[in-house]
Coordinates of all heavy atoms in Angstrom, one line a residue:
I268 N 116.3 93.2 97.2 CA 115.7 93.9 98.3 C 114.4 94.6 97.9 O 113.7 95.2 98.7 CB 116.8 94.9 98.9 CG1 118.0 94.1 99.2 CG2 116.3 95.5 100.1 CD1 119.1 95.0 99.7
R269 N 114.1 94.6 96.6 CA 112.9 95.2 96.2 C 111.7 94.3 96.4 O 111.8 93.1 96.5 CB 112.9 95.6 94.7 CG 114.0 96.7 94.4 CD 114.1 96.9 92.9 NE 115.1 97.9 92.6 CZ 114.8 99.2 92.6 NH1 113.6 99.7 92.8 NH2 115.8 100.1 92.3
L270 N 110.5 94.9 96.6 CA 109.3 94.1 96.7 C 108.8 93.6 95.4 O 108.8 94.4 94.4 CB 108.2 94.9 97.4 CG 108.4 95.2 98.9 CD1 107.3 96.1 99.4 CD2 108.6 94.0 99.8
N271 N 108.5 92.3 95.3 CA 108.1 91.8 94.0 C 106.6 91.3 94.2 O 106.3 90.5 95.1 CB 109.0 90.6 93.6 CG 108.8 90.1 92.2 OD1 107.7 90.3 91.6 ND2 109.8 89.4 91.7
R272 N 105.8 91.7 93.3 CA 104.4 91.4 93.4 C 104.1 89.9 93.0 O 103.1 89.4 93.3 CB 103.5 92.3 92.5 CG 103.8 92.1 91.0 CD 102.8 92.9 90.2 NE 103.0 94.3 90.3 CZ 102.3 95.2 89.7 NH1 101.2 94.9 89.0 NH2 102.6 96.5 89.8
D273 N 105.1 89.3 92.4 CA 104.9 87.9 91.9 C 105.2 86.9 92.9 O 104.9 85.7 92.8 CB 105.7 87.7 90.6 CG 105.3 88.6 89.5 OD1 104.1 88.9 89.4 OD2 106.2 89.0 88.7
C274 N 105.9 87.2 94.0 CA 106.3 86.2 95.0 C 106.4 86.9 96.4 O 106.6 88.1 96.4 CB 107.6 85.6 94.7 SG 109.0 86.7 94.6
P275 N 106.1 86.2 97.4 CA 106.1 86.9 98.8 C 107.5 87.3 99.1 O 108.5 86.6 98.8 CB 105.6 85.7 99.7 CG 105.9 84.5 99.0 CD 105.7 84.8 97.5
A276 N 107.6 88.4 99.8 CA 108.9 89.0 100.2 C 109.3 88.4 101.5 O 108.5 88.1 102.4 CB 108.8 90.5 100.2
P277 N 110.6 88.3 101.8 CA 111.1 87.9 103.1 C 110.7 88.9 104.1 O 110.5 90.1 103.8 CB 112.6 87.8 102.9 CG 112.8 87.7 101.4 CD 111.7 88.5 100.8
K278 N 110.7 88.5 105.4 CA 110.3 89.4 106.5 C 111.2 90.6 106.6 O 110.8 91.7 106.9 CB 110.4 88.6 107.8 CG 110.0 89.3 109.0 CD 108.5 89.5 109.1 CE 107.8 88.2 109.3 NZ 106.3 88.4 109.5
N279 N 112.5 90.4 106.4 CA 113.4 91.5 106.6 C 113.2 92.6 105.5 O 113.4 93.8 105.7 CB 114.9 91.0 106.6 CG 115.3 90.3 105.3 OD1 114.4 89.7 104.6 ND2 116.6 90.3 105.0
V280 N 112.9 92.1 104.3 CA 112.6 93.1 103.2 C 111.3 93.9 103.5 O 111.3 95.1 103.3 CB 112.5 92.4 101.8 CG1 112.1 93.3 100.7 CG2 113.9 91.7 101.5
I281 N 110.3 93.2 104.0 CA 109.1 93.9 104.3 C 109.4 94.9 105.4 O 108.9 96.1 105.4 CB 108.0 92.9 104.8 CG1 107.6 92.0 103.6 CG2 106.8 93.6 105.4 CD1 106.6 90.9 104.0
S282 N 110.1 94.5 106.4 CA 110.5 95.4 107.5 C 111.2 96.7 107.0 O 110.9 97.8 107.5 CB 111.3 94.7 108.6 OG 111.8 95.6 109.6
L283 N 112.1 96.5 106.1 CA 112.8 97.6 105.5 C 111.9 98.6 104.8 O 112.0 99.8 105.0 CB 113.9 97.1 104.5 CG 114.8 98.1 103.9 CD1 115.7 98.8 104.9 CD2 115.7 97.5 102.8
H284 N 111.0 98.1 104.0 CA 110.1 99.0 103.3 C 109.0 99.6 104.2 O 108.6 100.7 103.9 CB 109.4 98.2 102.1 CG 110.3 97.9 101.0 ND1 110.6 98.8 100.0 CD2 111.2 96.8 100.8 CE1 111.4 98.2 99.1 NE2 111.8 97.1 99.6
L285 N 108.7 99.0 105.3 CA 107.8 99.6 106.2 C 108.5 100.8 106.9 O 107.9 101.9 107.1 CB 107.4 98.6 107.3 CG 106.3 97.6 106.9 CD1 106.1 96.5 108.0 CD2 105.0 98.2 106.5
Q286 N 109.8 100.6 107.2 CA 110.6 101.7 107.7 C 110.7 102.9 106.7 O 110.7 104.1 107.1 CB 111.9 101.3 108.2 CG 112.8 102.3 108.8 CD 112.3 103.0 110.0 OE1 111.4 102.5 110.7 NE2 112.7 104.3 110.3
F287 N 110.9 102.5 105.4 CA 111.0 103.5 104.4 C 109.7 104.3 104.3 O 109.7 105.6 104.2 CB 111.2 102.8 103.0 CG 111.1 103.6 101.8 CD1 111.9 104.7 101.6 CD2 110.0 103.4 101.0 CE1 111.8 105.5 100.4 CE2 109.8 104.2 99.8 CZ 110.7 105.2 99.6
N288 N 108.5 103.6 104.3 CA 107.2 104.3 104.3 C 107.1 105.2 105.5 O 106.6 106.4 105.4 CB 106.1 103.3 104.2 CG 106.0 102.6 102.9 OD1 106.5 103.1 101.9 ND2 105.4 101.5 102.9
Q289 N 107.5 104.7 106.7 CA 107.4 105.5 107.9 C 108.3 106.8 107.8 O 107.9 107.9 108.3 CB 107.9 104.7 109.1 CG 107.8 105.4 110.4 CD 106.4 105.8 110.8 OE1 105.4 105.2 110.3 NE2 106.3 106.7 111.8
C290 N 109.4 106.7 107.2 CA 110.3 107.8 107.0 C 109.6 108.9 106.1 O 109.7 110.1 106.4 CB 111.6 107.4 106.3 SG 112.9 108.6 106.4
I291 N 108.9 108.5 105.1 CA 108.2 109.4 104.2 C 107.1 110.1 105.0 O 106.9 111.3 104.9 CB 107.7 108.7 103.0 CG1 108.8 108.2 102.1 CG2 106.7 109.6 102.2 CD1 108.4 107.3 100.9
M292 N 106.3 109.3 105.8 CA 105.2 109.9 106.6 C 105.8 110.8 107.6 O 105.2 111.9 107.8 CB 104.4 108.7 107.2 CG 103.6 108.0 106.3 SD 102.4 106.8 107.1 CE 103.6 105.4 107.4
L293 N 106.9 110.5 108.2 CA 107.5 111.4 109.2 C 107.8 112.8 108.6 O 107.6 113.8 109.1 CB 108.7 110.8 109.8 CG 108.6 109.9 111.0 CD1 110.0 109.4 111.4 CD2 108.1 110.7 112.2
A294 N 108.4 112.7 107.4 CA 108.8 113.9 106.7 C 107.7 114.8 106.2 O 107.7 116.0 106.2 CB 109.7 113.6 105.5
S295 N 106.6 114.1 105.8 CA 105.5 114.9 105.1 C 104.2 115.0 105.9 O 103.4 115.9 105.5 CB 105.2 114.1 103.8 OG 104.8 112.8 104.0
R296 N 104.0 114.3 107.0 CA 102.7 114.5 107.6 C 102.5 115.8 108.3 O 101.4 116.2 108.5 CB 102.5 113.3 108.6 CG 103.4 113.3 109.9 CD 103.2 112.0 110.7 NE 104.0 112.0 111.9 CZ 104.1 111.0 112.7 NH1 103.5 109.9 112.4 NH2 104.8 111.0 113.8
P297 N 103.6 116.6 108.7 CA 103.3 117.9 109.2 C 102.6 118.8 108.1 O 101.7 119.6 108.4 CB 104.7 118.5 109.5 CG 105.5 117.3 109.9 CD 105.0 116.2 108.9
I298 N 103.0 118.6 106.8 CA 102.4 119.3 105.7 C 100.9 118.8 105.5 O 100.0 119.6 105.3 CB 103.2 119.1 104.4 CG1 104.6 119.7 104.6 CG2 102.4 119.7 103.2 CD1 104.5 121.3 104.7
L299 N 100.7 117.5 105.7 CA 99.4 117.0 105.5 C 98.4 117.6 106.6 O 97.3 118.0 106.3 CB 99.4 115.4 105.7 CG 98.1 114.7 105.5 CD1 97.5 114.8 104.1 CD2 98.2 113.2 105.9
L300 N 98.9 117.6 107.8 CA 98.0 118.2 108.9 C 97.9 119.7 108.7 O 96.8 120.2 108.9 CB 98.6 117.9 110.3 CG 97.8 118.3 111.5 CD1 96.5 117.6 111.5 CD2 98.5 118.0 112.8

């Protein structure tokens, strides 16, 4: 389920990591602003 730079990741794995990044941005962007 981890992203591997040596081979393309499946669509579902990319979707999972995009949601993970979004979760980090949700938590921290009030501090950024």
Side-chain angles (χ1 to χ4, degrees):
I268 305 178
R269 295 177 180 270
L270 293 176
N271 192 338
R272 69 173 70 182
D273 298 328
C274 60
K278 180 76 68 176
N279 60 333
V280 174
I281 294 175
S282 175
L283 180 65
H284 286 274
L285 286 172
Q286 178 61 24
F287 167 70
N288 290 338
Q289 180 65 19
C290 193
I291 293 172
M292 286 187 281
L293 270 177
S295 55
R296 70 186 182 188
I298 294 295
L299 180 67
L300 186 59

